Amino acid sequence: MEMQNRLALLTKTMQAANADLAAIGPTANMRYLLDYAPHPDERLCLLLLSRHAARIVVPSLNAEEMAAHTDIELYRWTDAEGPQEALNQAMIGMSPVKKLAFDGEMRADFLAPVLAAAEPQETIPVERLLAPIRARKSATEIEALAVASAQADRAMQAAVQACLPGVTEMDVAWAAETAFRLDGAEQVTFTLVASGPNGAYPHHHSSRRQLRYGDAIIIDIGASLNGYHSDITRMVFLGDPPEEILRTYEAVLEANERGRAAIRPGVAIQEIDRITRGTLENAGYGKYFIHRTGHGIGVEVHEPPWIMAGNEQLLEPGMVFSVEPGVYIPGKFGIRIEDIVVVTETGCHTLTSSSHQLVVKR
Ligand code: ZN
Ligand code: ZN
């Protein structure tokens, strides 16, 4: 029922946007609409949606699994045949296409045959239509995101425990990864451990650098569980934290807390970014906060809404996103504190529940 609602919502949005055809590959968009997407490889796989019909072009090796998830008519093709005839058949009655909404996340070599078959006069990314639908999570989705966040809290504990002098960033990342896996995560999306000066790179790749006394360590981890993602960042310090670290940590924590406290329906999204940024600017760290405040999370780890300046969209109940202010001092250290929140009718509820205190290991 939930999947039928999602498809119906997309069809309605297509009508409003005058889009004749949507072409969606085996991406998070397909997973969102069908609760299933085959392994994304080079084999052409497309959900084709006109305003009146839905069809799926599917490699025959994935057809049975697809049929177990949906009643939509399948156009199968084998490796020996190739996809062209199945695509031609599926397109009968779907044209003419004036405006095509294409999946911006699918492979370019999936888009090319669709363009050749549909010959649209105009194209738009289907994300433009799907983003507002995906941004408002249903009760089932919010529950799935809460369960995923609780799992990330447990994996965070394992990672924090693994932080010891002499241990490498990759060792700590592995502790988080195994904790997620043993806890039933389908996919560990990222385990980012950035110690000491590496912390100044917001998207550092965990390296063979050994942790040592005097290191501030950023642990940013996430996985997917039942198709929904988690994402959390906490900090460990080895040894006695100097004044500079404590002061920065307090400022980042205040930005995180004030940002979350301002969340309620009707507030413009950019206001949340203005508050976290303003807090860090007042503390003298404005120029070291070099990214947006946060991102939506759901069937993808990064998805709209983007919590940033210029986003005038209003917060709505059911939106789920990260609040993750950070300070990055080149050559020295980085500090980030990240939570996942859900907008409620009256405010917001924080799904991540790990302690916000700096973990100090002497
Ligand atoms: Zn994040
Ligand atoms: Zn993160």
Side-chain angles (χ1 to χ4, degrees):
M1 195 60 206
E2 181 145 344
M3 295 304 137
Q4 274 149 16
N5 282 344
R6 293 178 190 178
L7 281 166
L9 274 172
L10 175 56
T11 312
K12 219 171 98 185
T13 315
M14 282 170 66
Q15 255 154 20
N18 272 323
D20 310 284
L21 181 72
I24 291 160
T27 64
N29 290 324
M30 184 182 285
R31 247 178 18 246
Y32 178 77
L33 292 167
L34 304 179
D35 195 27
Y36 170 73
H39 174 72
D41 65 8
E42 70 287 356
R43 293 179 175 93
L44 186 72
C45 176
L46 289 169
L47 165 63
L48 297 169
L49 211 60
S50 76
R51 287 184 228 169
H52 314 287
R55 293 167 186 171
I56 294 173
V57 176
V58 63
S60 55
L61 81 163
N62 298 322
E64 290 313 312
E65 201 170 1
M66 181 66 91
H69 285 85
T70 179
D71 293 334
I72 296 174
E73 196 179 350
L74 303 184
Y75 292 74
R76 306 163 190 239
W77 62 272
T78 65
D79 286 344
E81 289 163 1
Q84 193 59 55
E85 187 52 29
L87 177 61
N88 292 346
Q89 292 296 322
M91 282 296 295
I92 291 174
M94 292 281 202
S95 46
V97 177
K98 276 203 200 119
K99 192 172 189 179
L100 167 73
F102 67 91
D103 187 340
E105 295 187 22
M106 74 181 170
R107 297 168 54 119
D109 61 2
F110 285 19
L111 178 60
V114 174
L115 290 175
E119 297 184 309
Q121 290 164 18
E122 200 187 337
T123 59
I124 54 163
V126 79
E127 285 79 3
R128 205 177 292 170
L129 310 180
L130 270 175
I133 301 172
R134 278 175 53 178
R136 278 187 294 271
K137 268 68 181 178
S138 69
T140 317
E141 292 186 283
I142 291 168
E143 178 56 25
L145 286 158
V147 170
S149 276
Q151 179 178 70
D153 284 325
R154 293 191 290 274
M156 180 58 73
Q157 270 186 3
V160 167
Q161 270 167 23
C163 287
L164 293 168
V167 159
T168 67
E169 291 175 350
M170 285 170 77
D171 292 332
V172 177
W174 181 244
E177 177 144 3
T178 48
F180 269 129
R181 281 294 195 172
L182 291 170
D183 207 343
E186 288 132 24
Q187 205 185 358
V188 181
T189 324
F190 55 91
T191 52
L192 183 161
V193 180
S195 62
N198 289 343
Y201 309 133
H203 277 169
H204 173 67
H205 292 283
S206 306
S207 75
R208 293 196 164 75
R209 183 182 185 277
Q210 290 183 327
L211 310 185
R212 63 199 70 158
Y213 281 112
D215 279 352
I217 303 154
I218 295 179
I219 304 170
D220 185 352
I221 56 174
S224 71
L225 181 62
N226 303 316
Y228 283 80
H229 283 269
S230 59
D231 188 2
I232 180 173
T233 308
R234 289 294 187 267
M235 301 281 316
V236 173
F237 194 88
L238 294 184
D240 282 316
E243 190 52 35
E244 189 187 17
I245 295 279
L246 292 175
R247 225 170 357 102
T248 316
Y249 191 88
E250 279 312 310
V252 174
L253 182 56
E254 194 190 337
N256 170 299
E257 284 172 345
R258 291 189 55 193
R260 284 186 291 135
I263 294 167
R264 64 178 180 279
V267 172
I269 288 180
Q270 63 178 353
E271 181 67 7
I272 307 309
D273 184 80
R274 200 188 59 76
I275 288 168
T276 58
R277 206 163 297 279
T279 307
L280 288 172
E281 276 163 8
N282 289 341
Y285 298 111
K287 68 170 173 171
Y288 301 114
F289 180 17
I290 53 178
H291 53 71
R292 64 189 175 213
T293 290
H295 53 83
I297 187 166
V299 291
E300 280 180 295
V301 67
H302 284 190
E303 62 179 45
W306 310 113
I307 313 304
M308 57 187 278
N311 189 346
E312 293 170 3
Q313 199 183 352
L314 303 185
L315 289 170
E316 293 177 51
M319 286 181 170
V320 181
F321 54 87
S322 73
V323 175
E324 49 180 308
V327 163
Y328 309 92
I329 316 267
K332 293 175 89 175
F333 64 89
I335 289 181
R336 178 166 67 252
I337 306 170
E338 175 178 26
D339 287 292
I340 300 298
V341 300
V342 53
V343 183
T344 63
E345 294 294 331
T346 53
C348 92
H349 173 63
T350 302
L351 298 180
T352 36
S353 59
S354 299
S355 161
H356 287 87
Q357 289 313 302
L358 175 62
V359 179
V360 175
K361 293 185 149 189
R362 291 187 167 88

